[in-house]
């Protein structure tokens, strides 16, 4: 577990971006990922009749579609108590097993930090 204040500034930034996406779009989850060049990709939950993606899966897909080769870190803001296996798999597919994933509460407090592997 990692306290929010213990996060490095770049990780704090992706938590803040994920929180903003959740609030701005009125969705259950917001997520942000940072690629190997420092670019960030921000997304919310996608819930269409024909397509359902978590916020973290959507952020990873946006990074891939934009040409990212790997991920340095990821953050998801949600009311859930854990990061789903599917979300960890998406991060692992692009970022590798050592990529950190920060799980934050809706108020931005980081509740848990796990490695994607």
């Amino acid at each position: 577990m990692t306290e929010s204040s213990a996060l490095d500034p770049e990780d704090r930034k992706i938590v803040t971006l994920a929180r903003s996406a959740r609030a701005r779009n009125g969705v259950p989850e917001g997520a942000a990922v940072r690629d190997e060049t420092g670019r960030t990709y921000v997304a919310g939950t996608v819930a269409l009749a024909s397509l359902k993606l978590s916020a973290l899966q959507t952020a990873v897909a946006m990074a891939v579609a934009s040409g990212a080769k790997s991920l340095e870190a990821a953050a998801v803001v949600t009311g859930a108590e854990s990061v789903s296996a599917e979300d960890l798999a998406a991060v692992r597919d692009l970022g590798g097993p050592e990529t950190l994933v920060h799980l934050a509460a809706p108020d931005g407090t980081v509740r848990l930090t796990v490695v994607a592997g």
Side-chain angles (χ1 to χ4, degrees):
M1 180 171 302
T2 301
E3 292 296 321
S4 295
S5 60
L7 292 180
D8 77 34
E10 291 301 311
D11 286 352
R12 182 85 224 128
K13 176 182 169 184
I14 61 172
V15 170
T16 300
L17 290 169
R19 185 174 180 223
S20 296
R22 181 181 184 272
R24 179 178 56 251
N25 297 319
V27 292
E29 296 179 341
V33 298
R34 186 177 61 251
D35 74 8
E36 76 282 1
T37 68
R39 290 180 297 184
T40 55
Y41 306 88
V42 182
T45 309
V46 174
L48 301 173
S50 62
L51 179 64
K52 302 216 182 303
L53 294 171
S54 72
L56 196 48
Q57 291 168 338
T58 305
V60 169
M62 291 173 65
V64 170
S66 296
K69 302 298 182 210
S70 67
L71 296 178
E72 292 181 345
V76 60
V77 174
T78 180
E81 296 295 320
S82 63
V83 182
S84 74
E86 295 83 8
D87 281 354
L88 290 175
V91 171
R92 188 173 50 249
D93 284 349
L94 183 58
E98 299 302 314
T99 305
L100 294 180
V101 179
H102 304 290
L103 175 73
D107 69 358
T109 303
V110 175
R111 291 187 286 202
L112 179 69
T113 297
V114 298
V115 292

